[in-house]
Amino acid sequence: MPHLPALPSAPILHIEGGVATITLNRPAQRNRLENGDLKALLAHFETVNQQSDVRVLVLSANTSGQPKPVFCAGYDIGGFDEPGHGATFFEEIPDALAAMRPVTVCALNGSVYGGATDMVLACDLRIALNGIEWRMPAAALGLHYYPSGLQRYVSHFGMAAAKRAFLTARVFDQTRLQALGLFESWHDPHEWSHALQSLLDDVLALAPLALQSTKQSLNEIAAGQIDEPRLRQREITSTQSADFAEGLAAFAQRRKPDFKGQ
């Protein structure tokens, strides 16, 4: 993983070896998101989407110097009053994250609050640091949450837990989060880098075209946009790919496949 600068800044993008890492970088403010940060995130998402060699996007945070690690304290609600911005600006971030071309991994290395929880849900895969907490205080601030965020909560939490999150604003501790099955795994700090790299290695080992098209299909199914002919065509396209031929050959020869994304 890249070395993080000490000075706080807008989110940082680092690309290496097919992996793009976006790091929230305002640790002294518990990585609170300002409107400038949201613009930077959208720009980073666009950059990553345009680089076809990037196969995985990792979203993480700089928690250095924090007494208790906080991945993100959510959106700075003072930004609602800034000219050119409103209550609908923040939702562009998780919506864009959910629509990303690469597989997205949230490396949740601290507690998470408010709108940032929806960013976690917008990722395809998630690992978490032991001992974190999760809270959605929208109604405590007098805010009705935006539609796509509510949909993601119901889809990932289920209706009962989504109602608990929004209608009580109570904290979800690790025990409750584990019961929801949201995370691939939970780890202590000394295990963190190895666990994240292990997950990335597993994703990077898969055939790129099949991975990307399957992600598209799963997202469409989750959104109730099932188009069976389109899904069937993706299946046919995959069987005609050089990667599928390589996968069959590697299986027969009992070796690791060398996928080219073709």
Side-chain angles (χ1 to χ4, degrees), residues 49 93-102 104 122 152 215-216 219:
N49 271 333
I93 308 305
D95 286 353
L97 184 57
M100 291 290 293
R101 175 190 55 77
T104 52
R152 266 185 292 274
K215 170 179 170 169
Q216 286 180 291
N219 284 346

Side-chain angles (χ1 to χ4, degrees), residues 11-14 20-24 41 44-45 48 57-61:
I12 301 162
L13 173 62
H14 177 86
T21 301
I22 295 177
T23 306
L24 307 182
L41 285 170
H44 290 336
F45 294 164
V48 171
L57 169 65
V58 177
L59 181 64
S60 193

